[in-house]
Amino acid sequence: MDTLIVLGALIIITLVGSIVIKSQLEKRRILRARLLVDLHDDLRRMQSALAVIPEVYLDVPTKLFMIKRLMQLVDQVQEAGSPSESLKSLHSDLQEQLDKTLKAKDDSIARLAKWTQIDNADTAHEIRLLIKYLHDQILSTVKTGLVPRSHGSRVVKNLKVMMHRIALDLNYSLARTYLKANKFRPALGKLRVALGVTLKSPIKQFLKAQHSELEKLIAQTEKKIISQRKQANKSTEDKLAKGLDKLQEEEDRDTKKNIYD
């Protein structure tokens, strides 16, 4: 009898133990799957940031951070999931980019003096979201020690510069589009906004070329608007003169008709 009780207890313990172990394994599987989803999402967003954010905006510290973070994500994906040839190839390409960037010289003055094309507000919004994502990433990577705090501070500073550059380049690009379409008034509005951005920018000392070009374009556009207004006034005057002549002709005809009638 005692033997049966002990045997029954062992069976129950074994069943309970197997259920607990199975439950723990299932939780680990779910957590692993969630981790992989998050890692793949971070990997995709970091790749988008490197592809979408204009090259003009990326200084050497920012590029180094982005490449290092991407390489770390590739390693984490392979550890959490299973290695693949595509991930190995991506890691190899990133290593080449890292080596090249480490040898690059600081070109901030020449780089910041260049315009970049941002055609519409949707593109600008996408870049802003990616910059905010990079800000979150640099804070977390500094905490984990991927990059030192001094490096992180330089990246954060450049991210703030990027935000100012988006407004500048977007308004300039839209103004150029309006000018090509001879829409001078909306072009003038965008040019003035862009000029205001250069004056408020934390890097205005590096935007002298943009400042000079914007002032020149504003002066040219104002002249075109004045010329356009003069032509419109002249056209209106000509139409009024023709209208008066026509009224006079009709009055003369009516006078002659009354005489003969």
Side-chain angles (χ1 to χ4, degrees), residues 10-203:
L10 286 173
I11 292 171
I12 292 171
I13 292 171
T14 302
L15 289 172
V16 171
S18 64
I19 291 171
V20 170
I21 292 171
K22 187 176 180 181
S23 176
Q24 289 297 321
L25 289 174
E26 182 64 17
K27 286 182 180 178
R28 288 182 183 179
R29 187 189 68 78
I30 292 171
L31 290 173
R32 187 186 181 109
R34 286 177 179 172
L35 175 62
L36 263 176
V37 170
D38 291 341
L39 287 172
H40 275 291
D41 183 59
D42 281 334
L43 183 61
R44 177 186 59 78
R45 294 175 75 178
M46 284 298 295
Q47 285 178 301
S48 294
L50 200 58
V52 173
I53 295 176
E55 185 72 18
V56 168
Y57 295 177
L58 302 178
D59 61 359
V60 172
T62 306
K63 275 186 183 178
L64 287 174
F65 149 66
M66 293 172 74
I67 295 170
K68 285 182 178 180
R69 178 58 176 150
L70 269 169
M71 293 176 73
Q72 184 186 53
L73 286 168
V74 171
D75 290 336
Q76 290 174 342
V77 168
Q78 292 189 104
E79 288 173 7
S82 56
S84 67
E85 289 301 319
S86 61
L87 288 174
K88 289 179 182 178
S89 177
L90 176 58
H91 195 282
S92 178
D93 291 341
L94 289 169
Q95 184 63 55
E96 290 180 8
Q97 291 183 49
L98 180 63
D99 294 339
K100 185 178 178 181
T101 307
L102 285 168
K103 296 175 184 176
K105 295 180 180 179
D106 181 35
D107 60 346
S108 294
I109 295 176
R111 180 173 50 80
L112 292 172
K114 297 177 182 177
W115 291 107
T116 191
Q117 185 80 10
I118 301 181
D119 296 319
N120 55 68
D122 289 339
T123 301
H125 181 65
E126 182 183 6
I127 295 172
R128 286 192 188 97
L129 291 178
L130 288 171
I131 291 172
K132 289 178 181 178
Y133 172 73
L134 290 179
H135 185 263
D136 294 337
Q137 287 292 302
I138 189 62
L139 294 179
S140 64
T141 51
V142 167
K143 288 179 181 178
T144 58
L146 179 65
V147 295
R149 186 175 295 275
S150 58
H151 188 147
S153 297
R154 293 177 67 185
V155 173
V156 169
K157 185 178 179 180
N158 189 54
L159 295 178
K160 291 179 180 178
V161 170
M162 286 185 190
M163 284 296 194
H164 283 270
R165 280 302 304 263
I166 293 170
L168 174 60
D169 290 316
L170 173 62
N171 282 282
Y172 176 78
S173 298
L174 292 175
R176 299 295 299 189
T177 301
Y178 285 133
L179 287 172
K180 287 179 182 178
N182 292 326
K183 297 179 179 179
F184 300 122
R185 287 191 178 279
L188 182 61
K190 295 299 179 184
L191 290 170
R192 285 174 174 166
V193 172
L195 182 62
V197 173
T198 63
L199 295 173
K200 296 176 183 177
S201 175
I203 55 163

